[in-house]
Amino acid sequence: MKQLDRLLAEKLLKISAIKLQPEIPFTWASGWRSPIYTDNRLTLSYPDIRTLIKIELTRLIMENLPHPDAIAGVATGAIAQGALVADELSLPYAYVRSTPKDHGLENLIEGDLTPGQKVVVVEDLISTGHSSLKAVEAIRNAGCDVVGMVAIFTYGFPTATEAFSKAGVDLYTLSNYTAMLETALETGYIKPEDLETLHEWRHDPANWPA
């Protein structure tokens, strides 16, 4: 039986939630050139994958971050998955915007979080960790205790690992870049000669010579 990280990576590749193009790189919003593009929102359109992710994120929480008081999703990619997990655990739910709403109450956090609550954050994708940790900061500023974060996928950038450690946030993910590359090679999605390029990019994505 396949390990979960490789099983999920295979499913993400199959529905093009993860796309690999070593020879025709993508351009991220940050301006980085990248051989990979990930959009885990696509998983919501596939009930079997959506359910697998919901169940396994819930399991991660129960095994590693037990007894939270609330779940918080990170906008926009993890709003739906966070709500599904909160429903599975029968817990209160809120989500954190990237910036405060520019009208009305100008909320940064949508939903009710009570000071003192233990909160688990749900994220869809960990890249540099910047946006994810901004959400953690917002929740902490609301007087809550962030006990950890769970996510669908991580690129495993060293800068992100360092940032999470510095912020004191425990991170647990269902799949990762290494498992995805192994699966992509095994299934013929990429060629053996692509591996060096893909490994080089992960080592220093900001300065990768596309």
Side-chain angles (χ1 to χ4, degrees), residues 62-183:
M62 294 176 68
E63 290 181 355
N64 301 286
L65 305 165
H67 313 302
D69 300 313
I71 302 296
V74 181
T76 59
I79 291 177
Q81 286 294 355
L84 290 168
V85 169
D87 191 58
E88 187 75 8
L89 290 168
S90 298
L91 288 174
Y93 178 68
Y95 70 86
V96 186
R97 293 175 172 272
S98 56
T99 56
K101 193 163 56 175
D102 60 4
H103 60 280
L105 298 177
E106 300 182 352
N107 293 335
L108 181 57
I109 297 175
E110 299 288 1
D112 287 332
L113 292 179
T114 304
Q117 281 185 320
K118 295 186 295 182
V119 179
V120 171
V121 181
V122 175
E123 182 63 288
D124 69 319
L125 174 67
I126 306 295
S127 54
T128 63
H130 178 69
S131 59
S132 305
L133 292 174
K134 275 184 65 178
V136 169
E137 182 181 12
I139 295 167
R140 286 174 170 170
N141 288 342
C144 297
D145 176 20
V146 174
V147 295
M149 183 181 297
V150 295
I152 298 172
F153 188 83
T154 179
Y155 292 126
F157 295 146
T159 53
T161 302
E162 182 180 345
F164 273 87
S165 177
K166 186 176 180 180
V169 178
D170 292 330
L171 172 66
Y172 302 91
T173 66
L174 299 183
S175 190
N176 57 76
Y177 191 77
T178 299
M180 182 275 299
L181 287 187
E182 291 171 354
T183 301

